[in-house]
């Protein structure tokens, strides 16, 4: 079913960007077993630091191009997703009020996230267990699963942080109704000048990110019960969520997100800036890779600054390209955007099991990745569409609402 008429070209560009983002997410998870830097054998299931959480399947076929792709997406993709998630929170809060907004968020994010963590995460990671298990049976797997010091959540870590941010937004709206005025002023100062915006965003995110990075390292993950997060990044992601809220409050048809604005018109320059930002981060981070704890402080600070710059330029680049080139209607993209949240919830099971099924297939890495991506997309898209038809209450709904969320 096609989506309703879109209020503006800017909104339509953002709707299409949401479809592009879910395709990138699926591509990212599809290529993980084929990264060149991975060890030759799978990570053990019952030994810390439980790296199978990030790489459930490890294939013998590798291609270094996937390492570059995943590194770039790890830098910019999640920041962009939190930014997009915050864009329409202000209009939703204004229309529903903080109490109704919070109950809707708990129903739309919290309940599906809990179901996915409880049922889909064990199903997906069973494939990872079978790659190293002496006894691959379900009974032995369940015992090993319950023996873990946490409950793996898979990609739903994003939804848990997003839910926390939505709760904070509802609380701020309830108890500090004018709190967003000062944040919006920062966007107003940037006006239609994306350079000012990206400089401010990079500086604020650097302040939020670098101190935690120095304490925890940029590579560490923490698992608490059914929640997982990188302790160096929560405040950085909160900055992007708030930036999205500020831009959404300021208005989509004026300032940064105008389809005829400076950001959209100079999309090629922003593509070059994103590439330069990624190189800056990669060069600085490479100096810390042998041993982060013993790396010079200057190298760590440069890596942190590079992360902030790379995230900001990558986010603006994605916005610029879609605002300039993707403000058109397409039934396929409408469907992808409408079903993106449900696809995100269920796709990981298909990706991991397809990777497992291809382990013994004599095919090169790119061929396997294409099969995994196409199979994951088709299966999760079809099921998401069916669920959307059966459970209309869980649909993203109208086009403006469809952009927010995960």
């Amino acid at each position: 079913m096609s989506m309703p008429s879109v209020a503006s070209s800017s909104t339509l560009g953002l709707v299409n960007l949401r479809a592009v983002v879910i395709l990138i997410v699926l591509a990212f998870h599809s290529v993980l077993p084929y990264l060149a830097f991975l060890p030759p054998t799978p990570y053990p299931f019952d030994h810390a630091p439980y790296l199978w959480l990030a790489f459930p399947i490890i294939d013998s076929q590798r291609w270094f191009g996937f390492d570059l792709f995943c590194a770039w997406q790890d830098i910019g993709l999640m920041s962009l997703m939190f930014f997009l998630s915050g864009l329409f929170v202000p209009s939703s809060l204004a229309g529903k009020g903080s109490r109704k907004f919070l109950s809707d968020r708990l129903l739309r994010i919290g309940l599906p996230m809990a179901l996915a963590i409880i049922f889909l995460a064990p199903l997906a990671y069973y494939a990872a267990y079978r790659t190293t298990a002496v006894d691959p049976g379900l009974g032995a797997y369940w015992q090993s699963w319950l023996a873990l010091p946490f409950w793996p959540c898979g990609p739903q870590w994003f939804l848990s942080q997003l839910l926390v941010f939505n709760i904070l937004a509802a609380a701020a709206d309830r108890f500090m109704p004018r709190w967003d005025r000062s944040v919006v002023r920062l966007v107003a100062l940037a006006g239609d000048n994306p350079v000012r915006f990206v400089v401010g965003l990079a500086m604020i995110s650097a302040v939020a990110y670098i101190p935690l990075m120095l304490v925890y390292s940029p590579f560490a993950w923490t698992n608490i019960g059914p929640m997982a997060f990188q302790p160096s990044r929560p405040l950085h992601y909160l900055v992007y969520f708030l930036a999205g809220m500020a831009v959404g409050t300021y208005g989509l048809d004026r300032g940064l997100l105008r389809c005829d604005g400076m950001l959209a018109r100079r999309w090629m320059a922003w593509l070059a800036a994103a590439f330069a930002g990624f190189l800056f981060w990669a060069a600085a981070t490479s100096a810390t890779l042998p041993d982060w704890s013993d790396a010079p402080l200057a190298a760590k600070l440069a890596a942190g600054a590079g992360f902030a710059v790379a995230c900001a330029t990558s986010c603006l680049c994605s916005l610029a390209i879609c605002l300039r080139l993707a403000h058109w209607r397409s039934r396929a993209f409408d469907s992808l955007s409408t079903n993106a949240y449900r696809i995100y919830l269920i796709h990981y099971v298909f990706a991991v099991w397809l990777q497992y099924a291809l382990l013994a297939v004599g095919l090169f890495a790119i061929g396997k990745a294409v099969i995994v991506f196409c199979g994951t997309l088709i299966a999760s898209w079809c099921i998401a569409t069916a669920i959307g038809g059966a459970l209309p209450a869980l649909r993203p709904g109208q086009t403006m609402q469809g952009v927010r969320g995960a």
Side-chain angles (χ1 to χ4, degrees):
M1 179 183 296
S2 63
M3 301 176 74
S5 299
V6 184
S8 68
S9 295
S10 295
T11 302
L12 184 51
L14 294 172
V15 169
N16 287 333
L17 177 56
R18 189 168 185 264
V20 172
V21 165
I22 194 60
L23 291 175
I24 295 175
V25 169
L26 265 61
F28 181 91
H29 288 146
S30 295
V31 305
L32 288 179
Y34 316 112
L35 302 183
F37 84 90
L38 292 174
T41 57
Y43 294 109
F45 190 83
D46 55 352
H47 293 126
Y50 307 104
L51 293 180
W52 53 266
L53 291 167
F55 307 100
I57 305 297
I58 295 180
D59 201 290
S60 59
Q61 299 296 317
R62 311 294 175 85
W63 184 51
F64 181 68
F66 290 148
D67 296 63
L68 297 177
F69 169 75
C70 288
W72 194 336
Q73 298 311 320
D74 180 63
I75 291 299
L77 180 61
M78 300 314 303
S79 299
L80 175 64
M81 289 175 67
F82 281 108
F83 179 90
L84 292 176
S85 298
L87 269 179
F88 290 96
V89 166
S91 62
S92 186
L93 278 169
K96 299 178 180 179
S98 57
R99 183 173 299 179
K100 180 64 165 59
F101 170 83
L102 182 57
S103 65
D104 285 353
R105 295 292 89 186
L106 290 173
L107 176 63
R108 184 169 180 265
I109 299 178
L111 178 59
M113 177 190 70
L115 294 175
I117 291 174
I118 293 171
F119 297 106
L120 298 185
L123 179 59
Y125 285 122
Y126 182 35
Y129 170 80
R130 289 177 63 90
T131 61
T132 59
V134 176
D135 180 358
L138 280 172
Y141 170 59
W142 191 240
Q143 290 180 359
S144 298
W145 180 272
L146 294 179
L148 294 171
F150 52 86
W151 187 285
C153 62
Q156 313 315 328
W157 70 265
F158 165 73
L159 296 179
S160 64
Q161 289 194 40
L162 179 61
L163 182 60
V164 171
F165 294 165
N166 277 271
I167 292 172
L168 291 176
D173 182 75
R174 176 75 172 174
F175 300 108
M176 298 181 292
R178 297 180 180 273
W179 73 273
D180 58 336
R181 299 287 181 88
S182 57
V183 179
V184 173
R185 290 193 192 100
L186 297 176
V187 179
L189 288 175
D192 193 28
N193 190 330
V195 175
R196 293 178 186 171
F197 182 84
V198 79
V199 169
L201 182 61
M203 290 178 62
I204 296 172
S205 68
V207 171
Y209 172 72
I210 291 177
L212 293 177
M213 176 205 69
L214 293 175
V215 174
Y216 295 105
S217 95
F219 313 112
W221 279 84
T222 296
N223 293 275
I224 302 176
M227 297 181 63
F229 59 95
Q230 289 176 273
S232 62
R233 295 191 184 185
L235 293 182
H236 166 82
Y237 290 145
L238 179 60
V239 167
Y240 275 78
F241 181 79
L242 294 176
M245 287 187 62
V247 171
T249 303
Y250 186 69
L252 301 183
D253 297 320
R254 64 192 186 114
L256 185 71
L257 299 184
R258 284 172 46 205
C259 279
D260 59 348
M262 289 179 61
L263 177 64
R265 292 201 310 268
R266 299 180 180 176
W267 66 271
M268 293 187 68
W270 284 102
L271 179 60
F275 183 66
F278 174 73
L279 291 180
F280 173 29
W281 167 83
T285 302
S286 64
T288 68
L289 285 180
D291 188 345
W292 170 264
S293 59
D294 290 337
L297 178 61
K300 293 180 179 179
L301 293 174
F307 177 83
V309 171
C311 286
T313 52
S314 177
C315 183
L316 270 287
C317 170
S318 299
L319 291 169
I321 291 174
C322 282
L323 289 171
R324 182 64 174 176
L325 304 177
H327 45 84
W328 32 256
R329 294 297 298 271
S330 163
R331 291 180 64 87
F333 267 56
D334 283 353
S335 177
L336 265 178
S337 184
T338 299
N339 291 289
Y341 176 41
R342 289 182 288 271
I343 291 173
Y344 185 88
L345 283 167
I346 64 179
H347 78 278
Y348 200 58
V349 174
F350 297 106
V352 175
W353 276 99
L354 282 170
Q355 292 159 358
Y356 176 78
L358 292 173
L359 281 175
V361 176
L363 191 65
F364 52 91
I366 296 177
K368 289 188 175 185
V370 170
I371 293 174
V372 173
F373 172 77
C374 293
T376 300
L377 174 62
I378 293 170
S380 56
W381 193 354
C382 289
I383 293 177
T385 303
I387 293 173
L391 300 173
L394 293 181
R395 287 183 180 180
Q398 303 298 316
T399 299
M400 294 287 286
Q401 293 175 315
V403 181
R404 71 173 187 272

